[in-house]
Amino acid sequence: MPIIDSRQRRKKDPIVNILLNGGRVTSGFRAALFAASSRAGISVNEYVIQAAGEKLLASGSQFSGVFEPGDLPSAAAVDA
């Protein structure tokens, strides 16, 4: 399973900040992003990190992280 139990994560992967700069988008994209995160009931940062996690998972990456089981689709669901 690509998402590692949080107890294992603490032993292996330190928590680090993500510092992103220069993210410029059109006003329409920004409005859609804020609306989608609002509908999901999470912050824009959480929404973007979740989207990145889904893309990483779909490309076959395995990682621990801020995700709980069920936050991201399983690898089998991504392949479907």
Side-chain angles (χ1 to χ4, degrees):
M1 176 174 223
I3 300 172
I4 299 171
D5 182 280
S6 63
R7 291 171 299 208
Q8 291 176 318
R9 184 209 36 85
R10 281 190 213 111
K11 293 178 185 174
K12 296 181 181 183
D13 293 335
I15 300 296
V16 297
N17 292 325
I18 298 177
L19 303 173
L20 304 174
N21 294 317
R24 295 174 53 96
V25 297
T26 64
S27 61
F29 180 88
R30 189 181 120 205
L33 177 60
F34 276 68
S37 69
S38 180
R39 283 191 302 272
I42 57 178
S43 73
V44 173
N45 288 345
E46 291 171 311
Y47 191 85
V48 170
I49 291 170
Q50 182 176 348
E54 290 171 356
K55 186 163 180 80
L56 289 168
L57 184 63
S59 70
S61 294
Q62 293 189 0
F63 53 89
S64 64
V66 298
F67 305 104
E68 296 291 331
D71 284 351
L72 297 176
S74 68
V78 171
D79 292 337

